[in-house]
Amino acid sequence: MSTPLAPLLAALAGDEGLVDELVAAARSASPDVARLPAHESRRHVAVLLAAGLAAFQGGEPDFGEAARLGADRAAQGVPCAGVLCAVRAARTRVLEVAVVRGRAAGIPDEVLLSAALDFDRYVGALEGHVVEGYREAERARARGRRDRRDAVLRALLLGGRADDAPAVGLRAGARYRCVVLNVTDPARAEALQPRLAACGGVFGTVEGRLAGLTPRAPADAGPDVTAVVGPPLPLRRAAEGYRLCLAALTGAVRFARTGVLAVVDLAAETALAAQPELGAVLGGALLARLDPADAFHRELVGTALAYLDHGRRLDRTAAALHVHPNTVRYRLRALHERTGLPVDDDGAPVLTTLRCWWAFETWQRGRCGPPAAP
């Protein structure tokens, strides 16, 4: 810094009254800061002023106190905007004082202007460190809340005790639905949580998946997401709800179901997904005369599945496949000739129909095994 400024800087550094002026300016500009004890602001202002003046006299800029100021205000619940208002008000006041005193000391305006520009750049860097200190404190607090929330959820859903449940917003006497999603990517889970928490629940990571407890089912879980919702249960039975949801999620994923799905609506998928080996043997046994490499055979099985999925209605099946109803009828007859399965028999028992559907679905996915030994 140029020689004419040295006496001015020394005078400012030794002026205790200047610190009080800056504190008053900061508190006046930010009601949030004004609610704190005055000594809280004075402590930071004194250190920041000393560090700033030292930097102007050739010292190395030290922004550590600026980061601590941001972190302290975050912990005290002062909004970041309020913190910056206070810092900028103090900056304006110190410039006003410096200009008045500099002119009184005969320092040329061009020297004061150059110093003011340098000071403004310094304060800009200082503000950046205040904000970063504030954000880092927020991130640390969020990590702490997230870790505590996840610990409580894991304890409840994995069968342990969770005496801290009230601390994360769960009431001991209430009933909650367990929700388990097929989301394992941490970034995606973090992005989904605000949407899910809108239903009043608590969500976190359990066994690598996004899961939670909520008083009501979420309305939406996002595109291409499978969210399985259990029945309302007391917290002491949360682990039971979690096991149900996990089994149902396996079934939902196995059969490519997406959206928000209730456990009760996934009963069939859950049961079938629990016996993949049996499904493979069933498909191999009932469809042994079909060749997966034959395009026509694949067409027959796909038509049969569509027919069963559309309530054995020729018109609906034909519309879904974009073919004529007679084409559907021909394919079903051709399939019956090759397999003997009563696909188009409206009088077939429910369990027979279920076996047919399961065999077709497993065969279509290429997961059939050899026929069972006699």
Side-chain angles (χ1 to χ4, degrees):
M1 191 60 60
S2 57
T3 303
L5 284 175
L8 174 62
L9 295 174
L12 292 174
D15 188 349
E16 288 293 323
L18 177 58
V19 174
D20 293 331
E21 286 190 53
L22 300 185
V23 170
R27 290 167 64 84
S28 176
S30 175
D32 294 300
V33 170
R35 282 191 281 269
L36 300 175
H39 66 80
E40 266 294 307
S41 296
R42 199 178 197 286
R43 173 170 59 89
H44 286 295
V45 166
V47 176
L48 288 174
L49 179 62
L53 293 173
F56 266 68
Q57 297 180 75
E60 188 69 25
D62 180 7
F63 296 110
E65 187 62 25
R68 284 189 288 274
L69 169 61
D72 285 354
R73 294 297 177 263
Q76 292 160 340
V78 178
C80 192
V83 179
L84 292 180
C85 281
V87 170
R88 288 163 185 168
R91 173 192 63 184
T92 300
R93 184 57 187 151
V94 76
L95 279 173
E96 290 172 349
V97 171
V99 168
V100 169
R101 294 186 184 182
R103 283 175 172 170
I107 300 174
D109 282 350
E110 59 269 22
V111 175
L112 291 175
L113 177 60
S114 177
L117 292 174
D118 288 340
F119 182 76
D120 199 56
R121 284 190 287 270
Y122 170 81
V123 174
L126 181 144
E127 287 181 2
H129 284 80
V130 169
V131 171
E132 181 54 33
Y134 191 101
R135 298 303 185 210
E136 178 53 37
E138 283 190 321
R139 288 190 290 268
R141 290 171 62 199
R143 286 193 296 270
R145 289 193 298 268
R146 184 168 60 246
D147 290 346
R148 187 177 191 183
R149 177 200 64 208
D150 288 359
V152 170
L153 277 175
R154 288 167 188 153
L156 286 168
L157 300 184
L158 300 180
R161 292 178 57 84
D163 298 330
D164 290 338
V168 297
L170 298 173
R171 295 182 292 114
R175 289 175 173 263
Y176 294 93
R177 297 177 181 273
C178 180
V179 182
V180 181
L181 300 93
N182 66 329
V183 176
T184 57
D185 177 67
R188 192 179 188 196
E190 190 73 19
L192 276 175
Q193 286 187 41
R195 178 189 298 195
L196 297 169
C199 63
V202 176
F203 289 83
T205 302
V206 180
E207 294 186 314
R209 297 182 188 83
L210 181 57
L213 291 168
T214 175
R216 59 186 185 276
D220 178 41
D224 303 321
V225 174
T226 302
V228 175
V229 183
L233 297 171
L235 285 179
R236 70 176 186 278
R237 296 178 60 191
E240 175 185 332
Y242 178 66
R243 289 192 296 271
L244 284 172
C245 287
L246 270 186
L249 179 65
T250 300
V253 172
R254 166 72 171 76
F255 293 102
R257 299 285 302 276
T258 60
V260 179
L261 308 168
V263 163
V264 294
D265 293 332
L266 292 168
E269 290 91 339
T270 304
L272 296 181
Q275 297 291 339
E277 294 84 2
L278 179 56
V281 170
L282 181 67
L286 299 186
L287 305 178
R289 294 183 59 191
L290 298 183
D291 180 5
D294 188 313
F296 181 59
H297 289 182
R298 292 198 303 273
E299 192 173 66
L300 298 182
V301 171
T303 300
L305 273 173
Y307 181 68
L308 295 178
D309 285 337
H310 288 83
R312 296 176 184 269
R313 291 281 299 271
L314 285 173
D315 54 346
R316 293 179 182 176
T317 306
L321 298 177
H322 306 292
V323 298
H324 193 276
N326 286 340
T327 302
V328 176
R329 186 179 289 108
Y330 162 74
R331 292 176 182 174
L332 295 178
R333 185 165 55 250
L335 181 65
H336 176 71
E337 291 172 354
R338 287 164 174 78
T339 64
L341 297 178
V343 183
D344 58 350
D345 182 1
D346 291 337
V350 171
L351 291 180
T352 299
T353 302
L354 174 61
R355 284 194 295 271
C356 291
W357 184 92
W358 195 8
F360 295 146
E361 195 279 336
T362 306
W363 187 93
Q364 189 180 57
R365 289 175 178 268
R367 296 174 178 172
C368 287

